[in-house]
Amino acid sequence: MSLVNYAPTHVKFASYTGKYPNLCRGVLILEIDGVPYGFGHDYSKYGSWKTDGNYDSFWTPGGGCGFNEDYSESYVSSAPWEIDVSSLPEKLRPFAAEIDMVFNDNVPHGCCGGCL
C-alpha cells in the first residue's frame, strides 16, 4: 500500500514477533501518536513494552497455502497483509490506512506456508 511521497505521521512500527512457521500469529507493537499499543495472539510476549491495552490481531495473510487436487504438491503464495478495520479498537480506526501501510511495510508478506 506504499504511496509515493507519503510517510505515516501518526503510526510507527515497533516490533512483530511472527515468523515461520506461524508468521500470521505474531505479537505486534505499534506506537500511535507516541503511545504503544499491543496486538496479537499471546499477550505474554509483549516483553518490556507497557502498552495502552492488549488487543486481538486485526490482520490476515493476503497469500495462502494448500495442496493441489490430488494432494501430490503443496503451494504457498505471498501477498500483502489484509487489515480488518472492524477488528481495530474504535479509537484507532481513524488510523487504519496508516496502520495498514506501516504493517505491510515492516512485516514480511504472508503466507509463510507453516500451516502445511
Side-chain angles (χ1 to χ4, degrees):
M1 177 173 173
S2 293
L3 302 173
V4 176
N5 297 324
Y6 178 79
T9 57
H10 299 278
V11 180
K12 179 181 173 188
F13 178 80
S15 67
Y16 185 67
T17 63
K19 59 185 176 185
Y20 183 87
N22 290 330
L23 179 62
C24 59
R25 294 188 56 87
V27 171
L28 172 67
I29 305 291
L30 296 175
E31 288 185 27
I32 301 174
D33 286 340
V35 177
Y37 291 88
F39 306 90
H41 297 279
D42 187 351
Y43 301 137
S44 68
K45 293 184 180 176
Y46 286 150
S48 62
W49 286 95
K50 302 294 185 218
T51 61
D52 182 22
N54 298 323
Y55 302 100
D56 290 332
S57 60
F58 54 81
W59 57 88
T60 56
C65 60
F67 296 93
N68 63 358
E69 285 186 21
D70 67 1
Y71 293 92
S72 62
E73 292 183 28
S74 62
Y75 65 88
V76 176
S77 65
S78 182
W81 293 94
E82 297 175 5
I83 305 303
D84 179 5
V85 177
S86 66
S87 292
L88 287 169
E90 193 168 329
K91 67 182 177 180
L92 300 180
R93 290 179 189 167
F95 306 107
E98 283 190 38
I99 290 170
D100 185 343
M101 176 184 285
V102 168
F103 190 80
N104 273 293
D105 285 350
N106 289 280
V107 176
H109 291 164
C111 169
C112 71
C115 297
L116 298 176

